[in-house]
Amino acid sequence: DETAKRGARDGLKRAVAGAKEQELRDALAKAQAAGLGGGELQEAKSLLEKEEKSSAARRRLSDATKRPQDHKELRGAIEAASGLGFPAEDADMAAAKSALADEEKKVKAKAGLAKAVAAKDAKLLRDAIKSGERAGLAFAELEGARKLLGEEDRKSAAKEALEDAVEGRQPE
């Protein structure tokens, strides 16, 4: 019985030092089976709880990064991981922040496109299309603005031709 308790204590120490979820679970189960009390288990239980929260936050980051269009969830996942002490250079954290930044560029580009389409201004349309391309908007998201730009260019060319024709008929 004492040998089992000693082995369980050693297992707990190793598990706490390694701070890996499964090792902590296994060591806690062995310690409880060996009859160790709550005080001896507390550090491992606390560490296990922390590791479980970190794992859940990491899964949330990973899942949210796969669906960057859900800005609210992606921001929430980043904030939750940050609150748990994830460093900015953590790979999952960096990927999530990058995905959020890319998605925010797309949102901004879409807003610029909408403004340019509403204004029907060729220069604004050209600039908005370029911004949309740089932000990585899909072809379909830019198609309407491109068609409108073509129409506006045709109108402008027709207006210019008409003005040239009118100028050509005016007496000097």
Side-chain angles (χ1 to χ4, degrees), residues 39-143:
E40 292 180 286
L41 306 176
Q42 191 55 47
E43 182 180 10
K45 283 182 176 181
S46 295
L47 187 55
L48 177 59
E49 184 179 327
K50 180 183 175 198
E51 289 302 311
E52 287 172 340
K53 286 179 182 177
S54 288
S55 291
R58 191 168 300 286
R59 280 190 304 277
R60 185 177 175 195
L61 271 176
S62 178
D63 291 346
T65 301
K66 293 173 188 168
R67 295 178 277 96
Q69 304 84 355
D70 187 349
H71 305 117
K72 185 176 179 181
E73 174 58 19
L74 189 51
R75 268 193 206 92
I78 291 168
E79 289 172 11
S82 183
L84 288 172
F86 279 51
E89 55 276 351
D90 177 88
D92 292 324
M93 183 72 108
K97 285 182 175 182
S98 177
L100 181 60
D102 290 346
E103 200 58 32
E104 286 174 342
K105 287 177 190 172
K106 288 180 181 180
V107 168
K108 187 177 178 182
K110 286 177 188 179
L113 277 172
K115 182 179 176 181
V117 166
K120 294 185 178 183
D121 179 277
K123 183 185 179 331
L124 285 178
L125 284 164
R126 276 188 190 78
D127 291 345
I129 291 168
K130 284 179 187 174
S131 292
E133 289 169 343
R134 282 192 303 272
L137 293 182
F139 180 84
E141 293 173 295
L142 299 168
E143 189 174 11

Side-chain angles (χ1 to χ4, degrees), residues 2-25:
E2 274 308 308
T3 304
K5 285 183 179 182
R6 193 171 26 255
R9 284 185 190 100
D10 290 343
L12 276 176
K13 286 179 187 175
R14 282 191 304 278
V16 166
K20 295 206 179 354
E21 251 183 278
Q22 193 57 50
E23 289 176 19
L24 286 163
R25 271 196 200 90

